[in-house]
Amino acid sequence: MTANLNLGLIGNCAIAALVDGRGEIVWGCMPRVDGDPVFCSLLRARESDGDFGFFALDLADLARSEQEYLGNTPILVTRLYDRSGGAVEITDFAPRFLQFGRMFSPISLVRQVRLLAGSPRVTVRLRPAAGYGAAPARMTFGSNHVRYECADFVLRATTNCSITALLEEIPFVLQGTVTFVLGPDETLQGSVIDIARRFLEETADYWRDWVRSLSISYEWQNEIIRSAIALKLAAVDDTGAVLAAFTTSIPEAANSGRNWDYRFCWLRDAYFTVNALNRLNATKTMERHLGYIINIAASAVDGKLQPVYRINGRVELQERAVATLPGYRGMGPVRVGNDAYRQVQNDVYGSAVLAATHIFFDSRLMRPGNEGLFAQLEALGEQAARVWAQPDAGLWELRNASRAHTSSSVMCWAACDRLAKIAARLQLSERARYWRQHAETIHRGVCERAWSASRKSFVSTFGGEALDASLLLLAELGFLQPGDPRFAATVAAIERELLHGDFVFRYTEADDFGTPKNAFLACTYWYIDAIAALGRRDEARALFVSLLACRNRHGLLAEHIDPATRELWGNFPQTYSMVGLINSATRLSIPWEKAF
C-alpha cells in the first residue's frame, strides 16, 4: 500500500504513534517522541516478508476497512472486514489519566483486537526496529510476553495472544479479544485484559473531561476539538516543550529534498501556540509551555537565543542523514536532527517575549510575572534592539542566504513594544519609556526600509522587492492597525503574487532547493485572519471552510499542501497548521450569544 498521510494520531503527552487506515502502526518513537523510531514503516514501505518497523494485524481475504476516533478522545478504532462476513475491531491508544493524585502517562501503547463477526483469520506482525531502521529488534520471550531490544529502549509486549503465534506469525482464527500492552521491560501487575480495559475506560474519561474544560466557539466545534487534542498531544508534559510535528523527513513536496526533522520545539511557534492555548482555556498546558520558554530564556548567554531546541531544552541538534531508511515513498534523504539550530534568526527574541507577555497579564496563571522575570526578558530585548536591522536566515530558515528580513525586524519591534507594556503593567515608568523609545526607533526604521514605493507594499527584505507571507502578520502583531492603508495594500500585493487558488505560498522566488511547489498551510490561515481583519469576513469564512475540506479523514493537517491535488505533504501532524485552524475558527465563528 502506497504511503500517505491519511493517518490517525494516538498519544499521551509522553509518547505518540501514527496508525494507517488498516490499523498498522507505521510511526512511533520510544522512549521519547524525538527518539529512535521503534515503528518506522512510514519511511520504509512494507514490501516483502523480511520488512520490519511496524505493528500490523493482517486479516485474511481483507475486503474493506473503516476507522474513527472515539468521540472527543485520541483513542483510535479500526474495523477490518473480510469477504466472508468476518470482522475485527482494533482499538489503539496510549494511557493517560489521574492516578494516586498525579497524571499517569506511561511510555506505553495499548492495542485491543476484538471479534466483531464471523470467523476472521488474522496474523499478528509485531516487528519493532532498532537504529533508525538499521535492523529488527532482537527478541527474547517468556510465558506471556516478548522482549524487543531496540536502540534506546527495551520494549516489552505483554499479551494474552499465543506467544508462538506472535513470534512465528502464525495465522489464527480470532475468538474473543486479544490484547497487547507495549511498554517498558517491566512485569505487568495483573491480567493484561483487565488492565487494558481499565486503562481504556479511564483514558476515555480523562480526555472527555479535558475537552469539557475547553472554551470553544459555537461554530466548527468538532474541528476545533480535534485540533486541540492534536495540539495537546504535541505538548510534552515532562518539559513543557511543544513539538513542531511528530515526524521527520516527510517531504514538503514530491522529490524536493526539503526533508527535515521537526520533532523539536521552535521558539517561533511559541507565540501562536500560546495564543491558541489561551483561546481554548487550556491554561495548564499553556503554563507548562511558558515555563519551558522561560527556562530557555534564563539559560541564554548574553540573551542570545537559537531558533530551535530539543524537547529537554538542550541546544545541540546536529543534523545527519541516515541511510537505513529510504524515506517517505522512497523520497529521501531521511534526516535526524536539524541544523537550523546553528542559524541566526533574529525573530526569536520577539517570539519569546510575545509568549512570555501572557504571564504578566493573565490572572489565571499560578505564577504571575514579576520584576525578576522582567529583568530576564530585558536581556532578550537588548538583543532585539541590537540586531533588528542585521541580516539573518529569516523565519523560512534559508540555508545559503542572509538578508535583513522584515519579519525578523518586526518581531524585534514586538519584543521592545511588549517589554514597554510589561514595564507599564509593573509600574516601572522609566523602563517603560526606555523600551517604548526602542520600539519607536525600530518601527520607523522598518517603515522606511521595508516599504517599497514602486510596489506600494511592504516587502520581505530591506531594500528588496520580493514578497513573503509573513507580511500578513503586520496587523496580527500590532505593528500596523488593520485600517492602515499600507496593510490593505500589502495584503493586495500578496494576493496578486502568492495566492494560488485557495492557498498562499510562503514565497515564490527560488531558494536553496529551487522554486517552492507546495503551499505552507499556516500562511493561508494568516491570510484568512488578515482579510477578516480588513472586514472581508464572508471571503474569510468561505476560504476557511475550503481549508477544512483539506484535512485528512481524522481532521489532521500536515505542513504543506499541493494546490492542484490538495494532497497533504510535509511533517505530520503539523502543530503550526492545527494552531492556525484553531485561531481562525475562533475569530470567524459567530458568538454564542447570537447562536440561537
Side-chain angles (χ1 to χ4, degrees):
M1 187 169 62
T2 302
N4 61 61
L5 296 180
N6 229 335
L7 306 172
L9 170 69
I10 60 173
N12 63 1
C13 307
I15 59 167
L18 298 174
V19 185
D20 77 4
R22 295 184 180 180
E24 179 176 323
I25 300 179
V26 298
W27 184 259
C29 302
M30 289 187 175
R32 292 194 328 194
V33 285
D34 62 347
D36 189 67
V38 172
F39 303 114
C40 55
S41 59
L42 183 62
L43 300 183
R44 181 178 56 208
R46 180 157 61 114
E47 296 176 347
S48 69
D49 286 343
D51 283 335
F52 54 91
F54 57 87
F55 185 7
L57 184 88
D58 291 343
L59 175 64
D61 204 23
L62 177 69
R64 64 184 178 90
S65 64
E66 60 187 32
Q67 195 173 60
E68 64 185 359
Y69 280 115
L70 291 185
N72 293 353
T73 79
I75 299 169
L76 190 66
V77 178
T78 308
R79 299 182 188 92
L80 306 177
Y81 300 87
D82 67 24
R83 289 181 174 84
S84 302
V88 301
E89 182 180 82
I90 306 168
T91 301
D92 289 311
F93 68 99
R96 179 178 175 83
F97 50 87
L98 283 171
Q99 180 171 265
F100 308 127
R102 60 185 180 183
M103 189 60 64
F104 177 66
S105 297
I107 305 170
S108 297
L109 300 174
V110 178
R111 164 162 284 191
Q112 290 181 319
V113 183
R114 184 168 70 93
L115 173 67
L116 287 183
S119 299
R121 195 161 176 260
V122 301
T123 305
V124 178
R125 305 191 195 279
L126 177 51
R127 301 181 184 178
Y132 282 88
R138 181 175 172 271
M139 292 186 294
T140 60
F141 61 93
S143 59
N144 66 350
H145 73 269
V146 180
R147 298 171 69 253
Y148 299 89
E149 297 180 9
C150 304
D152 303 319
F153 188 68
V154 177
L155 178 69
R156 178 187 287 236
T158 305
T159 181
N160 64 326
C161 178
S162 160
I163 296 300
T164 299
L166 178 58
L167 290 172
E168 300 183 21
E169 297 184 355
I170 298 172
F172 61 93
V173 175
L174 181 65
Q175 298 175 345
T177 299
V178 174
T179 299
F180 302 86
V181 175
L182 308 182
D185 187 22
E186 301 168 354
T187 301
L188 208 60
Q189 300 298 320
S191 160
V192 66
I193 296 176
D194 293 341
I195 289 171
R197 184 184 299 115
R198 179 174 71 86
F199 283 4
L200 176 60
E201 291 172 355
E202 298 204 34
T203 298
D205 287 345
Y206 164 81
W207 283 105
R208 286 165 179 159
D209 283 344
W210 184 79
V211 167
R212 275 195 290 269
S213 74
L214 297 179
S215 175
I216 62 173
S217 62
Y218 171 72
E219 294 182 276
W220 307 298
Q221 293 180 39
N222 291 331
E223 293 85 350
I224 292 171
I225 288 168
R226 185 53 53 196
S227 299
I229 290 173
L231 177 56
K232 173 69 171 173
L233 293 179
V236 181
D237 266 352
D238 186 47
T239 65
V242 175
L243 296 173
F246 291 86
T247 57
T248 179
S249 304
I250 309 297
E252 295 177 7
N255 298 304
S256 63
R258 300 174 189 266
N259 300 14
W260 314 113
D261 191 349
Y262 273 14
R263 298 170 298 161
F264 308 114
C265 185
W266 268 258
L267 293 187
R268 177 177 305 110
D269 301 357
Y271 166 70
F272 299 97
T273 301
V274 167
N275 270 1
L277 291 169
N278 188 293
R279 286 191 172 99
L280 292 168
N281 195 40
T283 51
K284 288 184 180 179
T285 304
M286 182 177 75
E287 197 161 20
R288 284 195 187 95
H289 188 43
L290 289 171
Y292 174 86
I293 294 165
I294 289 165
N295 284 334
I296 284 175
S299 303
V301 179
D302 298 326
K304 293 181 180 179
L305 296 173
Q306 62 189 46
V308 55
Y309 294 81
R310 291 192 177 278
I311 60 174
N312 59 7
R314 299 285 187 183
V315 299
E316 299 293 328
L317 288 86
Q318 285 92 344
E319 184 179 296
R320 61 187 175 91
V322 297
T324 47
L325 290 171
Y328 182 76
R329 298 185 188 171
M331 299 175 189
V334 171
R335 293 187 172 98
V336 178
N338 197 310
D339 272 348
Y341 87 97
R342 303 178 189 271
Q343 292 183 350
V344 174
Q345 297 179 24
N346 292 327
D347 64 316
V348 295
Y349 302 105
S351 299
V353 174
L354 278 168
T357 299
H358 284 264
I359 298 172
F360 295 88
F361 291 89
D362 194 332
S363 298
R364 297 170 299 173
L365 302 184
M366 293 290 291
R367 292 177 289 277
N370 54 32
E371 290 187 31
L373 176 57
F374 175 68
Q376 291 177 333
L377 295 178
E378 283 195 293
L380 306 184
E382 294 293 353
Q383 276 294 113
R386 276 195 292 270
V387 304
W388 70 270
Q390 294 181 12
D392 70 349
L395 85 163
W396 306 124
E397 301 186 339
L398 302 177
R399 293 205 163 196
N400 294 304
S402 183
R403 305 170 189 167
H405 287 89
T406 304
S407 58
S408 296
S409 302
V410 170
M411 291 298 280
C412 287
W413 165 84
C416 298
D417 174 77
R418 300 316 193 266
L419 284 170
K421 292 175 179 176
I422 294 169
R425 174 83 167 187
L426 296 175
Q427 299 183 336
L428 303 173
S429 55
E430 182 180 343
R431 301 311 295 163
R433 284 192 298 273
Y434 175 83
W435 289 113
R436 181 55 53 207
Q437 289 170 358
H438 275 305
E440 290 171 353
T441 298
I442 297 172
H443 199 283
R444 284 194 302 270
V446 173
C447 291
E448 291 168 1
R449 301 170 70 176
W451 175 261
S452 169
S454 60
R455 277 189 168 273
K456 294 184 173 56
S457 77
F458 282 93
V459 289
S460 59
T461 59
F462 287 5
E465 291 295 315
L467 300 171
D468 83 275
S470 67
L471 299 170
L472 293 166
L473 298 172
L474 291 173
E476 166 80 21
L477 295 169
F479 186 84
L480 297 178
Q481 293 302 307
D484 191 315
R486 293 174 297 177
F487 180 62
T490 300
V491 173
I494 287 172
E495 287 173 329
R496 289 192 298 270
E497 295 196 17
L498 302 185
L499 181 62
H500 294 249
D502 283 347
F503 306 102
V504 175
F505 278 63
R506 52 189 175 185
Y507 50 84
T508 54
E509 60 182 336
D511 60 17
D512 311 335
F513 294 86
T515 303
K517 298 294 192 298
N518 287 342
F520 191 83
L521 277 165
C523 297
T524 306
Y525 285 115
W526 297 347
Y527 173 67
I528 288 170
D529 295 342
I531 63 175
L534 290 171
R536 296 157 55 186
R537 283 184 65 85
D538 289 345
E539 284 181 69
R541 285 174 61 91
L543 184 53
F544 178 76
V545 170
S546 177
L547 252 65
L548 288 181
C550 297
R551 299 170 305 144
N552 78 359
R553 63 176 150 204
H554 298 302
L556 303 175
L557 289 167
E559 180 188 36
H560 280 73
I561 193 166
D562 183 323
T565 66
R566 299 199 166 203
E567 182 179 7
L568 296 174
W569 288 85
N571 283 308
F572 175 88
Q574 175 76 9
T575 300
Y576 228 175
S577 300
M578 308 312 294
V579 163
L581 188 157
I582 292 167
N583 288 337
S584 293
T586 303
R587 287 180 168 129
L588 292 173
S589 172
I590 61 174
W592 277 94
E593 59 268 22
K594 295 182 179 180
F596 306 109

